[in-house]
Amino acid sequence: MTDTALREPAFPDAVITEAIRWTEETGPLDDVQALRTAASRANDGHARITERALHLGERIGLQSEMTRARQWAPWVLLALVALIVVAGLGLAGNVVGGGERHINVIVALVSLLGLHALTLLLWLIGLWLPAGSFGTASLGWIWMSLTARVAGGKRGQAPLLMRATTGLLTRARLLPWAFGLVSHGIWSLSFAVVLAAMLFALAFRSYTLSWETTILDPAFFVRAVQVLGWAPSQLGFPVPDAATVLSTTPGAAGQRTWAMWLTGCIVVYGLLPRLALVLLSTAIWRARRKALQPDWSAPYYRKLLTRFAALAPAAIVDADPGRTRGAAPARLAPSELRDALFVIGFELPPDVPWPPAGLPADATQVLRIDGSAPARRALLDQLAQARPRAVLLVCHAASSPDRGTERFLREVLAHCGECRLWLADASSDGAATRWIDWLRDTGLERIAASDSLDTALQGLVAT
């Protein structure tokens, strides 16, 4: 949980979401209320999962644990920085604090850069190894582990939050860079302190700088000093020549050259690489921080999306928007009509007898359809071919007309000269009135409706 990450507004929510996932690895939590709350607060599936996790996290104390971790993180980092600075001052003291005021430049260089070089090498190797191999080679990892221990202890929720955090950083390919940002920053500060202390001592005290060996050839040191001094020389630091290196008692100018060579090596091989990596880690963090999101394609999250979908109300694909008055259907021209009468029973209950008594004997067709799409289509095809002068449609008075009934009546009117409606089994005047009002409201007042068969047939048959 790097300090920069903790300030990202979306990152804490992602950590809580992942922490809930890890919690439910051992068994699901009671989330009935959390599901309903999340479904009411968010429309997007991912946002609902996050809301559910925040609701559950609040219940089990994850948010309060994260708040404690965020409060402790700066203090733990400050303590770690102080420890490294003290160690750096100790190293500088070992180099320039000897009572004899004699500095072996090679030993000083190795002591100041050795641990730095080893940890930097391990960090670079960690960039190419799997995330689990990164280990504890980073001060960033140590900082986060100490923060989790101080904030939550072994039995608190902080270790769970740390696991979620490292999982998110790994998925975003930011784990070594996030830890490296902390680690390189601490090392940079340490080198700055060491250089300041060493330069202060060299500026106001007199030291003798040289090298010593028992088994190595002096030519080796001449070559090593020249190779190590090449990079600092590009920044203006002097490099001792062969005579100065081989001299057992170099003069004041030689001592200044040795001191500046040692300082240049620490700057170039210690401070500058760490500062450069701080900038690089920051740039990579900014470029990849948007990827700090849970893996929504994981089976756990897909299952949650399915559960949220099951909570959604059933979609109405043919909702009735209310009564709207449609345009009157066009009539067929009288010359196109044939002298025929169709009697059609439409969506009648099974117990209604068919054909009904009292029908005229000269009815051309007496049909009954169940209202299904194929039956309607077959009937309309017949009407289109016959083009009858009149159609008597028989409907059950107690039924409620809907948009499907309206569409069917309009299609019938397009294939005949006149259409009448007989409301069979009308038990009260209210049923007929309801149908008549509906015909008027939908623009089908051309269709005369009656609960009497004789009235419905009036004018349609020869007397």
Side-chain angles (χ1 to χ4, degrees):
M1 293 177 287
T2 68
D3 191 51
T4 306
L6 292 173
R7 292 197 296 267
E8 291 293 329
F11 187 67
D13 292 350
V15 171
I16 296 295
T17 303
E18 278 291 280
I20 290 295
R21 181 175 75 87
W22 286 114
T23 301
E24 294 192 307
E25 286 286 324
T26 58
L29 299 173
D30 181 10
D31 64 349
V32 175
Q33 184 59 40
L35 282 174
R36 293 175 180 172
T37 302
S40 64
R41 290 182 181 178
N43 295 323
D44 177 68
H46 298 166
R48 286 179 172 179
I49 292 176
T50 302
E51 281 290 338
R52 170 188 177 272
L54 293 177
H55 186 91
L56 295 175
E58 193 71 41
R59 194 175 74 195
I60 64 177
L62 288 180
Q63 276 87 332
S64 59
E65 198 79 20
M66 176 171 282
T67 300
R68 283 197 299 273
R70 295 174 71 174
Q71 292 172 346
W72 275 104
W75 296 105
V76 174
L77 181 62
L78 184 62
L80 193 58
V81 169
L83 180 63
I84 297 299
V85 168
V86 170
L89 289 174
L91 286 175
N94 290 335
V95 172
V96 297
E100 299 179 359
R101 297 189 182 182
H102 177 269
I103 300 175
N104 187 321
V105 290
I106 302 300
V107 173
L109 189 63
V110 172
S111 63
L112 290 173
L113 297 181
L115 182 60
H116 145 75
L118 177 61
T119 57
L120 182 58
L121 178 62
L122 291 176
W123 182 82
L124 292 173
I125 294 174
L127 293 177
W128 303 102
L129 293 179
S133 304
F134 193 71
T136 58
S138 167
L139 290 174
W141 177 276
I142 297 174
W143 169 58
M144 192 174 73
S145 300
L146 289 175
T147 300
R149 177 65 61 86
V150 173
K154 290 184 177 181
R155 297 184 179 180
Q157 302 284 10
L160 179 64
L161 293 173
M162 186 177 76
R163 183 181 183 184
T165 301
T166 55
L168 289 170
L169 292 172
T170 300
R171 182 172 180 271
R173 295 181 295 119
L174 276 172
L175 184 63
W177 300 103
F179 290 163
L181 182 60
V182 177
S183 180
H184 302 319
I186 293 175
W187 274 107
S188 298
L189 181 59
S190 174
F191 276 121
V193 171
V194 167
L195 285 169
M198 192 175 71
L199 288 175
F200 181 84
L202 291 173
F204 297 104
R205 301 181 73 179
S206 177
Y207 291 91
T208 300
L209 288 83
S210 63
W211 55 271
E212 297 175 349
T213 183
T214 302
I215 61 174
L216 296 177
D217 186 355
F220 168 80
F221 288 96
V222 174
R223 182 59 179 166
V225 168
Q226 291 176 346
V227 171
L228 291 173
W230 180 85
S233 69
Q234 306 304 308
L235 299 180
F237 290 96
V239 180
D241 55 18
T244 302
V245 174
L246 296 175
S247 174
T248 56
T249 57
Q255 294 295 330
R256 283 195 298 271
T257 301
W258 271 120
M260 295 308 296
W261 176 85
L262 179 61
T263 302
C265 287
I266 297 173
V267 170
V268 172
Y269 301 119
L271 178 62
L272 292 184
R274 293 291 183 173
L275 287 177
L277 288 173
V278 166
L279 297 177
L280 179 61
S281 298
T282 302
I284 292 178
W285 173 269
R286 292 181 179 276
R288 298 181 183 175
R289 62 184 176 182
K290 291 183 179 180
L292 288 169
Q293 295 292 331
D295 182 8
W296 302 117
S297 63
Y300 171 82
Y301 293 116
R302 292 203 306 269
K303 182 179 179 180
L304 285 178
L305 290 174
T306 302
R307 294 181 64 193
F308 277 116
L311 291 177
I316 301 175
V317 298
D318 192 22
D320 189 350
R323 293 181 177 179
T324 56
R325 186 177 180 85
R331 293 174 178 268
L332 287 178
S335 59
E336 297 178 318
L337 299 175
R338 296 176 182 174
D339 188 15
L341 171 62
F342 273 58
V343 180
I344 304 168
F346 180 70
E347 293 185 341
L348 295 174
D351 58 347
V352 174
W354 190 263
L359 290 181
D362 59 349
T364 307
Q365 290 282 355
V366 179
L367 305 172
R368 178 173 180 167
I369 65 172
D370 57 8
S372 63
R376 292 189 190 190
R377 188 72 267 160
L379 174 64
L380 292 173
D381 289 342
Q382 279 189 271
L383 292 177
Q385 293 179 359
R387 299 191 300 277
R389 173 179 52 84
V391 172
L392 176 63
L393 200 62
V394 183
C395 293
H396 193 242
S399 300
S400 297
D402 55 17
R403 289 199 299 162
T405 306
E406 179 187 351
R407 286 194 298 267
F408 178 68
L409 289 177
R410 291 183 180 279
E411 291 172 331
V412 170
L413 282 172
H415 298 302
C416 67
E418 183 179 2
C419 181
R420 301 276 183 92
L421 188 60
W422 174 37
L423 303 172
D425 289 344
S427 58
S428 64
D429 294 338
T433 303
R434 177 165 53 84
W435 276 83
I436 292 172
D437 291 342
W438 176 79
L439 290 171
R440 183 185 65 251
D441 293 341
T442 53
L444 295 173
E445 57 273 334
R446 274 176 49 191
I447 302 177
S450 174
D451 57 1
S452 170
L453 178 58
D454 293 338
T455 303
L457 290 173
Q458 189 174 0
L460 296 184
V461 295
T463 57

